[in-house]
Structures are given as structure tokens and as C-alpha cells.
Amino acid sequence: MRVHLGCDHAGLELKSHLTGWLTEHGYEPVDHGPFVYDAIDDYPVFCLRAAEGVLADREAGLDSLGVVIGGSGNGEQIAANKVKGIRAALAWSEDTASLAREHNDAWVVAVGGRMHTLEEMTRLVEVFLTTPFPGDERHVRRIGQMASYETTGELPALPASAQSAQSAPVADA
């Protein structure tokens, strides 16, 4: 499996560590940078490329995931999610890392280089990479709703329970 990597200066140490760890564990890391420390670098430059790499691989039928790393991982996740067709999730625990795959079929995980130890972050990435998407109907349906909205801009229909609440009069306080 290919694993596309991108980060900012706060994630540079982890990205360097992960490149070696991934190779040792049979993965093919693809490093989108940065390659040197720059305290004022711009993470979108690297994270957008990592996410686009994942998307291109998947469109070509290849098994591929991505890891984006920053101080908190928030901005990196947002950047990766700007790539049409990508679902990126922020992982801060083993549960959030596995659920990102199990429930959301996320293809990119974001981690915070200043939030965890090197060992903890490596474990979050390992859990993400080794957790399969089981394809349960409810998760496929929800992912489909998001994908449709991303393409058409049309909101999914409200369920009956929400329609009645929406049409109910608002009580005076």
C-alpha cells in the first residue's frame, strides 16, 4: 500500500520517523514535503499534494491512504478535505483512528505533532492504516450522501422525523 505524507514544520519530525517506519512495515511512503525545517512554511502546499496523491492512486485502482501532520492536525485535515473526493479525519485516539476507517472510509488521517508522543502518533497511524472499511450499508449510505452533496451541492432529503419538527410552530417563551 502507498501512503502519501504531507506536513508542516511541526510535523516534520514525525513525517521523517514515519517514512522509515512505513518502509520497515512494508508500505510504500510517498513524501510530498516539506523536506527541511521552515518555521513559517504553509501546510496546504504539502497536504493538498498528499491528498491529491491518494485520490490519483485510488482513481487508478491502487491501494493508497494518506497521513497529514501539523501542530494540532486541524488545518492539515481541513486542507486535505478541500480535495474533491477526499475524506480526511483528525485522529487523537486509537478509537478515532479506527472509526475514521470503519465508519467514514476516510482515506487520509491527520495527526497533531504537538499533541502526542512520537510513539503515540505512530500507533494512531498504524491503527488507521490497518483498519479496513467493512462497507456496512448505513455507512455507505452516509458517505454517498456526502459525495452527492459534494458533486451537486444539493442537500440530502430530511428524514420524516426532522420534517415534522421543521414545520412545527415555535412556542413563545
Side-chain angles (χ1 to χ4, degrees):
M1 173 191 299
R2 274 194 195 144
V3 180
H4 292 266
L5 303 166
C7 70
D8 70 357
H9 57 280
L12 192 60
E13 180 183 350
L14 176 60
K15 183 176 66 75
S16 177
H17 165 77
L18 277 179
T19 301
W21 184 91
L22 289 165
T23 301
E24 290 170 13
H25 288 83
Y27 296 96
E28 178 188 348
V30 180
D31 190 344
H32 293 274
F35 304 103
V36 296
Y37 182 84
D38 177 356
I40 59 169
D41 61 9
D42 296 323
Y43 61 84
V45 172
F46 310 110
C47 297
L48 289 168
R49 284 173 170 76
E52 282 199 350
V54 171
L55 186 62
D57 280 353
R58 288 190 160 263
E59 287 176 344
L62 300 173
D63 193 16
S64 181
L65 293 172
V67 179
V68 292
I69 312 151
S72 69
N74 283 312
E76 294 72 21
Q77 175 201 21
I78 292 168
N81 275 317
K82 295 299 180 187
V83 175
K84 190 174 182 178
I86 287 293
R87 286 179 304 283
L90 178 65
W92 66 89
S93 68
E94 288 187 32
D95 285 341
T96 58
S98 64
L99 288 170
R101 294 284 304 130
E102 291 172 355
H103 289 194
N104 308 112
D105 194 19
W107 294 347
V108 176
V109 66
V111 292
R114 295 181 178 147
M115 304 291 120
H116 309 279
T117 67
L118 197 63
E119 294 76 23
E120 290 168 340
M121 287 186 292
T122 304
R123 178 65 183 149
L124 296 179
V125 170
E126 179 180 29
V127 167
F128 179 81
L129 296 177
T130 59
T131 301
F133 175 62
D136 295 352
E137 187 277 329
R138 66 189 170 125
H139 302 306
V140 171
R141 182 180 67 245
R142 294 165 184 166
I143 292 166
Q145 290 171 354
M146 291 183 284
S148 177
Y149 177 77
E150 184 177 46
T151 303
T152 67
E154 294 180 24
L155 292 169
L158 289 170
S161 62
Q163 290 175 3
S164 61
Q166 199 174 43
S167 61
V170 178
D172 290 331

